[in-house]
Structures are given as C-alpha cells and as structure tokens.
Amino acid sequence: MEIWILSDDQVPAPGLLVVQRRGSGTGLGYCGLIENSTGNTEEPELAFEFLQEFWNRGYATESGAAVIDRARTLGYPGLASTVRAWNTASLRVLEKLGFVNTGVHEHDEMHGDSLLLRKSL
Ligand SMILES: CC(C)(COP(=O)(O)OP(=O)(O)OC[C@H]1O[C@@H](n2cnc3c(N)ncnc32)[C@H](O)[C@@H]1OP(=O)(O)O)[C@@H](O)C(=O)NCCC(=O)NCCS
C-alpha cells in the first residue's frame, strides 16, 4: 500500500477529507476535491473512495453532497469528475448528485475508457 499526503497548496479547497462515522469516529473513506485533470483551476474534480465493507450505504452520496455545498460556498462555478465507463456505482453516485455526462471521453485500452462529467453550481 502507498500513502501520501498532499499539502494544502497542492489541492483545491476544501481538499480531500476523511469521512468518519458520527459518534464512533470510524474511518469510512475519503471525499473531496482534487485538481482538474485538464488544468482548469476554476472547476476542480470531485473524488471519493470508500472501504468496500461500507459500500451501498449512501456514504459517497452524503459526503459528496456536503463537499458540493462547500464548493458552492467557496464560489466555484462548477465541478467536474472523471470516471471509468465501467464504474456503475460511481456513475450512479454522480447521477444522484446532479452531474451530467459531457460526452467527452478518453480512450484507455488498459483501464477502460474514462468519462468526463460536470455539474454547474
Ligand atoms: C463508487 C463508490 C465510491 C460508491 O460509494 P457508496 O458509498 O457505496 O455509494 P452510495 O451508497 O452513496 O451509492 C451507490 C449507488 O450505486 C448503486 N450501485 C452500486 N453498485 C452497483 C452496480 N454494480 N450496478 C448498479 N448500481 C450499483 C447503488 O445501488 C447506489 O444507488 P441507489 O442509491 O440508487 O441504490 C464505492 O463503491 C467505491 O469506493 N468504489 C471504489 C473506488 C471508486 O470507484 N471511486 C470512484 C472513482 S471515480
């Protein structure tokens, strides 16, 4: 396993946040904003990942909605997200959060095509 820490000036605010269960403090995964892969600093990318034992309990959707609210407050005009076309769960989360497929996709023979979605704030 590889662990790395990004300093505040390397990630757009509010950065990547650890998601914990209220009360117990159990770490469930992370959710937050990362740099836009196309270099568009106005529109960072929403990213999330959860431990498999906690999948399908609404955590990605709930934490994604909180990050979107924060991004809106911070004044971003929109958010992007890139996701593999085969990643049905992630696409469903983004759909529930109001992201729409832009039709832009990047072909990747090895990992599967990547789709670009976006949401106006
Ligand atoms: C994608 C991921 C973040 C989703 O997290 P989560 O907390 O389980 O998401 P939620 O519970 O909020 O929502 C999941 C939705 O996907 C649906 N879903 C899950 N697996 C599915 C599948 N194989 N086919 C269709 N829908 C699926 C669930 O039913 C749910 O939709 P619903 O509320 O309409 O029933 C999680 O699976 C994960 O960490 N995956 C590995 C890392 C990853 O793919 N990160 C995203 C990179 S862009």
Side-chain angles (χ1 to χ4, degrees), residues 48-50 54-61 82-83 87-90 92-93 96:
F48 41 68
E49 187 161 6
F50 286 79
F54 301 120
W55 286 2
N56 292 322
R57 298 193 206 175
Y59 291 132
T61 307
T82 47
V83 57
N87 195 337
T88 320
S90 196
R92 176 71 187 127
V93 171
K96 288 194 287 182

Side-chain angles (χ1 to χ4, degrees), residues 3-101:
I3 297 176
W4 71 99
I5 295 172
L6 297 174
S7 69
D8 283 350
D9 60 353
Q10 288 176 291
V11 287
L16 280 178
L17 309 164
V18 174
V19 178
Q20 295 179 317
R21 189 148 33 202
R22 194 170 284 155
S24 68
T26 306
L28 308 171
Y30 68 80
C31 182
L33 299 185
I34 58 173
E35 269 182 19
N36 187 304
S37 47
T38 66
N40 178 356
T41 52
E42 290 284 287
E43 202 167 276
E45 293 194 21
L46 180 69
F48 41 68
E49 187 161 6
F50 286 79
L51 296 170
Q52 192 165 1
E53 63 200 280
F54 301 120
W55 286 2
N56 292 322
R57 298 193 206 175
Y59 291 132
T61 307
E62 184 181 344
S63 56
V67 169
I68 289 168
D69 278 353
R70 183 73 186 136
R72 190 179 289 114
T73 304
L74 289 168
Y76 292 111
L79 294 177
S81 193
T82 47
V83 57
R84 302 285 170 196
W86 50 260
N87 195 337
T88 320
S90 196
L91 283 167
R92 176 71 187 127
V93 171
L94 292 167
E95 181 188 21
K96 288 194 287 182
L97 292 171
F99 280 74
V100 291
N101 193 343

